Amino acid sequence: MAHFEKAKSLNEWLDQRLAINTLNRVLAKEYWIPKDINFLWAMGMVLAITFGILLVSGIFLLMYYQPNVDLAFDSVNFTIMQEVGYGWLWRHVHAVAASVVFLIIYIHMFTGIYYGSYKKGRELIWISGMLLFVAFSAEAFSGYMLPWGQMSYWAGMVITNLFSMGSLELNGIVEWIRGDYVPAQAFLDRFFMLHVLLIPVAILALIGVHFGALRLPHVNNQNGEEIDFAVEAEKYKAGNKAASKVIAFANDFMSKDLFVVAVFLVFFFYLVFWNYGFAMDPVNFDPADGLVTPAHIYPEWYFLWSYEILRPFSKDIGLVAFAFAQVIFFLLPFLDRSPNAVPANRRGLFSIWFWAMLVDLIVLTAMGKLPPEGIYSTIGLVAALVFIALWIILPIITKLEKKL
Amino acid sequence: MKEFIILAVVTFFSLLTYWLVEPFAHSQMHAHVESEGFAYADLPALTKEGNATRGADTFMAGGCIGCHNVQALGMETGMSAKDAASAYGVNPPDLSNAGAIYDAKFLADLIKNPAHATIVEHKFNDMRMHPMPAFYGAGGDDIDQEIADIVAYMQSIAVQAEEVTPTMAFENACGRCHAVRYTNWTQLGEMPNFKYKKDDLRFQADVLDYQDAVKAYMGKLPPDLSMYIRSRNEHFISTFIENPQSQLHGTAMPRTGVTAHSAEKVIEYMRMAGDPLVEERNETGKNVMIYMIFFVLFAYLWKRQIWKDLH
């Protein structure tokens, strides 16, 4: 056993046993972040806080939720929303956070794309981030099943049907996933388990990987400047903070993060109390009914773009396009052949590509919700084709890019 | 400055997406129906001045109380709601406060031609009679005068129009077909608290029998309205009450003919059932916002203090 001196303070006592001072130095005081950043760099912290809000509100909801097809709807809409003190608050917070988290994820993603933060050693940050996106999507979808409303039921029906793989008609897989011929008790039970245990655990692990992947390549900066972190850190530690190009994670970076988080929370709580309709679809306040199909079935807004890549094509082509859309973002670090890890506005054609992709995704999102009729389905088809074309030309235009 | 430009860009694309998937998409998915303010303009105007005293006699002579209770006056048909439903399809409403809950023009047309006033002529015709027989006069010279008298009589026995409560309006106009489990309302009235399980089961069996009758009459069991205040918006509910055919063409649901005031009360009842904590929500929201503004302020001051050495 190691030799332990008698500690003179609680801090020392803990340090002997947990090395808290080393941890504090490595993870906070001497974890160097570039100084040349803007508020978009705080989106990671906003996401962490939002995930925390989802976790805490979810724990409260879990105390009263009943994963049973006969009780689920009323346990949410009556027990939690009316009988439990402030149950409605936790439910609104949970539902709105689940929707807003995707807005922040998309902002976070497009920040990464714009500033080239997936290049030159940062590939794993991007890939672990995309895995988080997939995990959050699964979490959102499984959570959407739980109130057992009309949209829960029919979204569950439509999405699990995708696994029959179109003309392959692998209905056995669909039944295996549902545990029944239609979404029913077994289906609700397993999505409940996924939502409250397996996927959250996966998300926590992935967040660890995501943070870890950031450590060696360091955070990117606003100008794509290559910083010698060791030299700049010495300047900072010597007290020359103003001249140093880096800042410490805590409290320098944290204090800015916290301010951005605070502003975000004002917006968030405004939505929670006064503008929650976008996150709590009215149709889902009708109890699940396998005999009544809603007039319009559409996913939550954050899935609309990929839904619209599936929808305008015939069954099999649609599925292939859909699968393409699900995986292609993972490959971004490898499809972008340019040697430049600088903001998109300095990268010529890529700059056009970036804005075209952003606008195309917004068009797809809008068309994904609108009824697939007339002009809307034409626009949807064109936007889906543009999406695919943009990814095909990406390696070509980035290959042509001159080294800056 | 640069940060503000970035913020403006992010805000612009976020709001654009929001506008496209929410207000715009919903305007394209749902036909907009304008309210007519419960004027019932399609119904003939009342031309005669009713006389309540004469109306009392016509009311009795017309045989209204053969099917309708008037509990306020102690008139009962002696038929249970369940039996009435199996005889007529649905339990005929108690007429004690009908004069206050329903529009006078509507009542007059209803007495003369029930299927016309309730806009269910696609369902009832010469081959399949409406369960409420049309009134062909009680022996007088002028049927319109007689009807005006009956309506005047019903108004005279009812509470004042402004005294109609949410429960009164809902139970009479909606609650004989629709259950609302979040307020304990069944088509047979409020679910009592029974001491013995068998009494409870008996009551529930009666409810099921009643619902079977309504199902046969309407084609399907009218939905439980507990969460309709959130699954449909207020505008939808209001215009739907005004004329069910306007948003659900061909529906078996009859127009109920409630007054604008009663319709408001019905919506109030539905809010009570599905979204009763609006005030608590607004109050809590206000307090949270006050807290958050201080939070932003302190976070900003802390950031400034830390960053003054960094610039």
Side-chain angles (χ1 to χ4, degrees):
Chain A
M1 182 167 161
H3 177 69
F4 276 67
E5 295 282 337
K6 185 172 164 49
K8 292 185 192 66
S9 65
L10 180 62
N11 180 57
E12 197 182 331
W13 190 86
L14 284 171
D15 191 41
Q16 286 167 346
R17 285 154 183 82
L18 286 174
I20 56 166
N21 290 340
T22 313
L23 282 175
N24 187 30
R25 187 167 51 76
V26 175
L27 295 178
K29 291 285 177 230
E30 293 183 15
Y31 178 17
W32 306 110
I33 310 283
K35 191 187 283 173
D36 185 22
I37 54 176
N38 59 52
F39 78 91
L40 290 172
W41 267 252
M43 290 306 131
M45 185 62 82
V46 172
L47 282 172
I49 296 283
T50 312
F51 180 66
I53 290 173
L54 282 164
L55 202 62
V56 172
S57 56
I59 288 169
F60 279 99
L61 294 175
L62 192 50
M63 293 188 208
Y64 290 96
Y65 174 73
Q66 304 272 351
N68 176 303
V69 288
D70 295 324
L71 303 173
F73 185 86
D74 289 347
S75 76
V76 173
N77 289 307
F78 188 63
T79 311
I80 290 172
M81 291 291 282
Q82 298 194 17
E83 292 198 297
V84 177
Y86 292 97
W88 59 266
L89 178 60
W90 293 114
R91 201 241 175 145
H92 274 214
V93 162
H94 199 69
V96 172
S99 199
V100 167
V101 85
F102 278 92
L103 174 66
I104 308 297
I105 288 175
Y106 284 130
I107 294 174
H108 197 52
M109 275 173 70
F110 272 91
T111 304
I113 299 176
Y114 186 83
Y115 292 102
S117 307
Y118 49 87
K119 297 164 75 79
K120 290 189 177 170
R122 298 200 177 93
E123 294 84 355
L124 268 182
I125 308 176
W126 178 262
I127 290 169
S128 58
M130 280 308 301
L131 285 171
L132 271 168
F133 176 74
V134 171
F136 266 88
S137 301
E139 181 69 356
F141 176 73
S142 56
Y144 200 60
M145 300 298 105
L146 302 187
W148 209 240
Q150 271 292 66
M151 276 299 197
S152 306
Y153 183 91
W154 289 99
M157 183 78 94
V158 171
I159 297 300
T160 47
N161 261 338
L162 293 179
F163 291 91
S164 67
M165 309 282 172
S167 294
L168 295 179
E169 308 224 350
L170 304 176
N171 297 322
I173 295 184
V174 178
E175 282 159 29
W176 179 71
I177 291 170
R178 290 177 185 162
D180 204 331
Y181 301 108
V182 290
Q185 185 59 51
F187 176 93
L188 181 59
D189 274 333
R190 56 187 63 180
F191 277 95
F192 174 66
M193 181 283 292
L194 289 174
H195 187 72
V196 304
L197 181 70
L198 191 57
I199 303 173
V201 168
I203 287 176
L204 287 169
L206 283 167
I207 290 176
V209 175
H210 196 53
F211 286 177
L214 200 59
R215 184 81 204 190
L216 296 180
H218 278 98
V219 176
N220 196 4
N221 60 74
Q222 235 185 146
N223 271 311
E225 187 185 350
E226 265 189 49
I227 297 174
D228 187 334
F229 279 84
V231 173
E232 299 300 326
E234 283 314 313
K235 275 192 220 165
Y236 182 97
K237 282 198 278 188
N240 199 359
K241 291 187 185 178
S244 174
K245 285 179 182 169
V246 299
I247 55 175
F249 178 79
N251 294 327
D252 304 346
F253 184 59
M254 279 266 286
S255 67
K256 190 172 178 179
D257 269 4
L258 191 74
F259 172 61
V260 177
V261 167
V263 174
F264 162 74
L265 287 179
V266 170
F267 163 70
F268 172 73
F269 282 115
Y270 155 73
L271 297 176
V272 165
F273 292 105
W274 295 288
N275 203 345
Y276 41 78
F278 75 99
M280 306 172 87
D281 198 281
V283 182
N284 219 24
F285 286 99
D286 277 338
D289 185 345
L291 297 176
V292 179
T293 320
H296 305 279
I297 302 181
Y298 44 81
E300 289 291 270
W301 70 268
Y302 38 85
F303 294 142
L304 288 168
W305 67 269
S306 53
Y307 184 57
E308 187 58 19
I309 289 173
L310 169 80
R311 206 167 59 162
F313 301 104
S314 64
K315 189 165 69 176
D316 293 324
I317 297 172
L319 272 171
V320 172
F322 183 70
F324 174 83
Q326 301 313 304
V327 298
I328 199 66
F329 273 97
F330 277 93
L331 301 180
L332 177 61
F334 312 105
L335 293 176
D336 181 345
R337 311 298 303 161
S338 152
N340 304 314
V342 296
N345 65 340
R346 285 162 47 196
R347 290 181 55 192
L349 283 175
F350 181 78
S351 158
I352 297 166
W353 187 91
F354 173 86
W355 294 108
M357 178 56 81
L358 178 65
V359 170
D360 192 50
L361 283 179
I362 291 175
V363 171
L364 283 168
T365 300
M367 297 308 134
K369 184 134 182 189
L370 290 162
E373 297 153 359
I375 186 76
Y376 298 139
S377 52
T378 314
I379 297 174
L381 177 65
V382 171
L385 291 170
V386 167
F387 178 85
I388 295 165
L390 280 172
W391 283 104
I392 292 172
I393 63 165
L394 180 64
I396 303 163
I397 61 165
T398 48
K399 190 85 194 163
L400 294 173
E401 207 174 300
K402 290 198 178 60
K403 184 158 172 54
L404 291 172
Chain B
M1 194 54 221
K2 196 167 174 188
E3 301 225 11
F4 286 107
I5 296 170
I6 297 168
L7 182 63
V9 171
V10 172
T11 310
F12 169 75
F13 283 112
S14 305
L15 285 179
L16 175 68
T17 310
Y18 172 79
W19 181 80
L20 284 169
V21 298
E22 281 295 312
F24 178 68
H26 286 286
S27 77
Q28 298 297 300
M29 284 190 284
H30 312 290
H32 183 74
V33 176
E34 267 312 315
S35 168
E36 290 165 359
F38 294 85
Y40 301 113
D42 60 308
L43 297 177
L46 293 173
T47 50
K48 303 284 191 253
E49 185 76 28
N51 178 316
T53 325
R54 262 198 329 254
D57 295 333
T58 323
F59 185 77
M60 298 308 287
C64 305
I65 57 167
C67 303
H68 292 278
N69 289 336
V70 191
Q71 267 166 355
L73 303 179
M75 301 178 194
E76 306 251 1
T77 59
M79 219 172 175
S80 72
K82 189 180 89 173
D83 292 341
S86 59
Y88 311 121
V90 63
N91 183 25
D94 184 290
L95 297 181
S96 304
N97 292 313
I101 296 170
Y102 305 101
D103 181 78
K105 228 162 68 168
F106 173 82
L107 285 174
D109 194 59
L110 181 81
I111 294 166
K112 208 171 178 178
N113 185 353
H116 177 258
T118 53
I119 334 186
V120 284
E121 281 171 312
H122 53 288
K123 202 179 141 188
F124 298 106
N125 47 43
D126 293 342
M127 304 303 292
R128 191 179 177 207
M129 301 294 283
H130 191 280
M132 170 165 160
F135 176 71
Y136 291 111
D141 307 325
D142 184 354
I143 181 169
D144 287 332
Q145 182 61 55
E146 286 180 335
I147 289 173
D149 292 345
I150 294 174
V151 172
Y153 170 70
M154 290 205 290
Q155 286 176 330
S156 75
I157 60 172
V159 295
Q160 294 299 304
E162 59 275 11
E163 286 171 338
V164 172
T165 63
T167 314
M168 211 186 270
F170 186 90
E171 291 182 3
N172 202 279
C174 321
R176 289 169 296 112
C177 290
H178 294 283
V180 185
R181 62 189 185 286
Y182 292 177
T183 58
N184 256 337
W185 179 258
T186 74
Q187 287 91 344
L188 290 185
E190 202 149 316
M191 180 85 136
N193 271 322
F194 292 104
K195 189 171 177 189
Y196 298 107
K197 179 84 180 167
K198 61 180 180 185
D199 294 328
D200 188 23
L201 290 175
R202 224 169 254 144
F203 182 83
Q204 292 191 36
D206 283 346
V207 171
L208 289 174
D209 279 338
Y210 184 96
Q211 290 182 346
D212 278 345
V214 175
K215 214 183 288 180
Y217 174 59
M218 300 297 287
K220 69 175 279 226
L221 183 67
D224 183 297
L225 298 181
S226 296
M227 285 309 289
Y228 264 53
I229 198 71
R230 296 217 39 186
S231 65
R232 316 287 189 277
N233 59 52
E234 272 191 36
H235 179 79
F236 178 95
I237 295 171
S238 174
T239 47
F240 191 82
I241 293 172
E242 197 174 6
N243 179 3
Q245 304 296 332
S246 69
Q247 319 210 45
L248 194 56
H249 186 71
T251 179
M253 171 165 159
R255 171 161 71 180
T256 59
V258 289
T259 63
H261 176 78
S262 300
E264 270 170 41
K265 295 292 145 184
V266 166
I267 291 172
E268 211 174 305
Y269 184 91
M270 292 170 81
R271 209 180 290 126
M272 214 157 71
D275 196 15
L277 300 173
V278 182
E279 261 170 53
E280 186 176 87
R281 197 160 65 220
N282 288 333
E283 194 58 31
T284 311
K286 219 168 61 197
N287 292 334
V288 169
M289 277 301 164
I290 292 169
Y291 176 86
M292 282 315 305
I293 284 162
F294 279 103
F295 185 27
V296 169
L297 200 66
F298 283 115
Y300 180 67
L301 292 174
W302 188 47
K303 193 252 162 190
R304 269 218 352 198
Q305 191 206 3
I306 300 263
W307 279 65
K308 78 176 182 286
D309 297 341
L310 299 176
H311 285 304

